[in-house]
Every structure is written in C-alpha cells, then in structure tokens.
C-alpha cells in the first residue's frame, strides 16, 4: 500500500508541475461544452427561402404566411421567374424555393387541389430532411383546416395527440450537453493516460521505477487514481456549465450518476494505458488516442442515431465504451432512471475496464521482464 501511495504522490506532483495537463483538465470541458453546446443544433430553423408567387392571391399569401410563421422558413427573396429561383438556390443564398402557380387560387375556388412546388437544396441532408418534413406537415395542416370549414365540421375527424416525453420542447442542448460530457471525459482520460507510460520511458524515470520493488499492478493503480480524481473534476465542471449556462435539467440521482461514471472513467483510463503500453513515443500515443476518438464520436450515438446504422457498424459500435455511457448519462439526466434500468450498460463498462486494465498490466509486466 505504501508503494502505491508513493506512486500516487509522485504522479500528483508531476501533474501539478505539468501546467499543460492542468489546463487540459479545466479548460477542455469549458471550451467544448460552450462551443458544441451552442453550435450543435439538430433542429434546423430559419432556413433561407426564395418565393416565386405567380398567383399573387390572398390564398397564396395565407399559405406562405403559414410557412413563415412556423419559424423554419425565412423569406430572403421574392423571385420573378424560375430562373431567379434556380440562381438563388444554386448560389447558396437560399436553401428552399416555394413556387405558387398562376392558377393556384382558381383551383382552390373550384374545389380542386392547389399545387405548390417546394424545392429543397438536399446537398445538406439534415436541412433538407427538416425542411421536407415541415413543408409536408404545413400542407397537411392547412388542408385539414380547409376540409373542416367546407364540410362544416366542429372538429377534425381525427384527433391524434402526440406527447413527447423527457424533452418535450425538443431542446438540442438537453440531448447534446450530456453527450459532450462523455466525449470530453473520453478525450482527456484516454489522451492523458496514453502518454503516461511513454512519457516515463522518454524521461528515463521508467527505468528508475523498474529497479524498485514496486509491482506492475501497483504502478498501474498509482497511475490511474490521480486521473480518476481529475475525471471527476471535469465532470463536475461540465455539469455546472450544463445546468447554469444551458439549463439542462438533472432529473435523476447525482449520486448514482457519479457512481456509474466511475466505471466509464476506469474503462477510458484502461484504454489509455493499453495504448501507452503499445506506443513507443508520445507522438505515437497521441496518434493512437485520436484514432480511438474518431469512432467514439461517430459511432457511439453521440452525433448519429445507432438505430439508423448498418448492422455491421451497429455491432462494431458495441465495442466502444462511450456507447454505453451515453445511455447511462442521458438516462439519468433526462429520464431520471437509475441503476435498475442500466445494469446492462454498467456490466459492459465493467468488462471493458477489467479487460483493458488486465491487458495493460500483462503487457507492462512482459515489457519489464
């Protein structure tokens, strides 16, 4: 125990002297949460729109007002021809074009369908999907209103009531900020520990540790514990920013969140230590750490829903620790659920922690043998 304490003291002393490490621990959560929290918005609003209204009737203005009132379409230009619509969308000044034909009002008055063409720039898939969905919804809603008026119904024939739970207003920050917290912890824990053993080797202190009676597992524990403390500091800072700046509600137990986060931190640290035992230089350690980070960001469900992924990629994402932690933190923060519903995710993180740490100890033991 005294040998572990000695390694702990040395590691904390080294961290205190390493101002870059301390800056990473405190500044990365703040900068990334503020930057990504404000920048990443899955709900696209105020899409620049060009309008070519050949009808110039109260009916066309009424429908156009419905598009504008939705908050998703901002009319930036009134075109006088199809060519102008194409030119505006091609130049990127607008991403949506709404075109009313000359007979739009006459068709409505005769009881026929008034055709409206909505052109969407689909080079940006997220904007296109949102614009198409909202445009279709507005068309259905206005059609329903007209039908109700014509047949003199006191209420629509179908009353479908949708009740979104946990994030009823669809606020992106509520969904993204907890996930960014997981990304921040993964990034700093993996990178910091990935260079830990390599740094000792390059500075020549690893050889000094080898001649001491310290065991390999004791050295690993001494290396990990300080970073667990730093990980909890990061999480606390990130949660404070999420609550105070973005108003993210924490509906579950903070105690459970901190306890279950321990398994994710140890899994991330174990992965970092495993990388540090494979790499021979700090540059290699950084490269391997970033190689691990990219799949964590793209495949874990942080940016893209896993349900929409191909089966092979979906199963591949099962070997990423962040995949399970995102379920844990979003479940506790947004849904208010606890360990009872998260046993599977915790078990997987425990397996990751045990495997990564065991491989790291064996690899280190083999190297110093």
């Amino acid at each position: 125990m005294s040998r572990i304490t000695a390694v702990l003291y040395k590691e904390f002393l080294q961290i205190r002297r390493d101002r870059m490490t301390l800056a990473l621990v405190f500044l990365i959560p703040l900068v990334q949460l503020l930057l990504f929290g404000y920048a990443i918005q899955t709900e696209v609003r105020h899409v620049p729109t060009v309008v070519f209204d050949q009808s110039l009737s109260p009916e066309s203005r009424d429908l156009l007002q419905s598009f504008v009132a939705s908050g998703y379409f901002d009319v930036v230009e009134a075109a006088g021809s199809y060519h102008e619509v194409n030119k505006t969308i091609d130049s990127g000044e607008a991403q949506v074009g709404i075109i009313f034909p000359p007979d739009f009002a006459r068709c409505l008055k005769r009881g026929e369908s008034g055709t409206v063409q909505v052109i969407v720039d689909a080079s940006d898939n997220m904007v296109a999907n949102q614009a198409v969905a909202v445009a279709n919804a507005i068309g259905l809603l206005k059609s329903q209103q007209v039908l109700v008026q014509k047949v003199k119904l006191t209420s629509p024939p179908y009353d479908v009531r949708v009740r979104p739970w946990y994030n009823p207003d669809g606020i992106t920050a509520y969904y993204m900020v907890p996930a960014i917290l997981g990304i921040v912890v993964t990034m700093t824990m993996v990178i910091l520990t990935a260079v830990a053993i390599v740094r000792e080797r390059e500075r020549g202190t690893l050889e000094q540790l080898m001649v001491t009676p310290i065991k390999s597992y004791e050295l690993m524990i001494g290396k990990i514990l300080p970073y667990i403390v730093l990980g909890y500091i990061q999480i606390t800072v990130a949660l404070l920013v999420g609550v105070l700046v973005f108003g993210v509600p924490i509906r579950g137990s903070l105690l459970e969140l901190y306890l279950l986060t321990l398994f994710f931190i140890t899994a991330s640290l174990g992965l970092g230590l495993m990388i540090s035992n494979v790499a021979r230089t700090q540059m290699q350690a950084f490269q391997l750490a970033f190689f691990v980070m990219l799949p964590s960001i793209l495949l874990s469900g942080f940016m893209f829903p896993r349900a929409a992924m191909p089966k092979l990629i979906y199963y591949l994402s099962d070997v990423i620790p962040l995949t399970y932690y995102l379920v844990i933190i979003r479940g506790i923060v947004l849904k208010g659920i606890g360990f009872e519903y998260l046993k599977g995710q915790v078990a997987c993180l425990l397996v990751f922690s045990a495997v990564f740490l065991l491989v790291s100890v064996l690899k280190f033991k083999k190297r110093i043998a």
Side-chain angles (χ1 to χ4, degrees), residues 153-363:
L153 293 176
T154 57
S155 61
Y158 302 105
D159 184 13
V160 179
R161 301 185 181 185
V162 180
R163 296 184 60 187
W165 286 7
Y166 310 125
N167 189 9
D169 296 325
I171 300 174
T172 304
Y174 290 5
Y175 179 76
M176 291 304 299
V177 168
I180 295 170
L181 190 153
I183 290 291
V184 168
V185 172
T186 302
M187 182 180 296
T188 51
M189 293 298 100
V190 171
I191 292 176
L192 290 177
T193 51
V195 300
I197 301 295
V198 181
R199 183 176 55 200
E200 296 278 7
R201 187 183 301 111
E202 290 184 348
R203 292 179 178 178
T205 54
L206 187 63
E207 286 75 11
Q208 298 174 15
L209 289 172
M210 287 179 182
V211 298
T212 64
I214 190 169
K215 295 180 173 57
S216 55
Y217 74 87
E218 292 174 330
L219 178 60
M220 291 297 149
I221 293 174
K223 285 287 183 186
I224 282 179
L225 287 180
Y227 293 108
I228 291 178
V229 175
L230 294 180
Y232 274 115
I233 292 174
Q234 281 193 319
I235 288 168
T236 303
V237 171
L239 285 175
L240 285 173
V241 172
V243 172
L244 298 178
V245 178
F246 296 102
V248 177
I250 299 179
R251 298 192 173 99
S253 167
L254 266 177
L255 178 61
E256 277 191 301
L257 177 59
Y258 272 75
L259 286 174
L260 299 187
T261 297
L262 175 63
F263 306 115
F264 175 61
I265 291 177
T266 54
S268 300
L269 292 175
L271 179 58
L273 281 176
M274 194 168 67
I275 291 173
S276 71
N277 278 286
V278 173
R280 296 189 176 276
T281 64
Q282 291 193 56
M283 182 57 68
Q284 288 181 1
F286 273 114
Q287 290 174 338
L288 287 172
F290 278 109
F291 177 77
V292 169
M293 282 302 305
L294 192 59
S296 295
I297 293 173
L298 297 178
L299 305 182
S300 63
F302 167 67
M303 294 188 67
F304 310 108
R306 293 180 67 221
M309 296 178 183
K311 286 294 182 182
L312 177 62
I313 304 300
Y314 181 89
Y315 292 130
L316 186 62
S317 67
D318 286 337
V319 298
I320 299 174
L322 184 59
T323 299
Y324 303 97
Y325 185 65
L326 291 183
V327 177
I328 291 174
I329 191 167
R330 282 171 172 162
I332 293 176
V333 171
L334 295 180
K335 297 182 179 180
I337 61 178
F339 178 74
E340 179 185 356
Y341 297 93
L342 302 169
K343 294 176 183 176
Q345 286 73 24
V346 173
C348 290
L349 289 178
L350 275 171
V351 170
F352 280 122
S353 301
V355 170
F356 291 154
L357 292 175
L358 181 61
V359 170
S360 299
V361 170
L362 293 177
K363 182 75 175 176

Side-chain angles (χ1 to χ4, degrees), residues 53-79:
D53 187 357
Q54 302 172 84
S55 176
L56 297 176
S57 61
E59 288 81 4
S60 64
R61 287 193 293 270
D62 178 56
L63 183 56
L64 180 60
Q65 181 57 35
S66 297
F67 277 91
V68 175
S70 69
Y72 288 89
F73 303 94
D74 285 354
V75 177
V76 296
E77 185 176 338

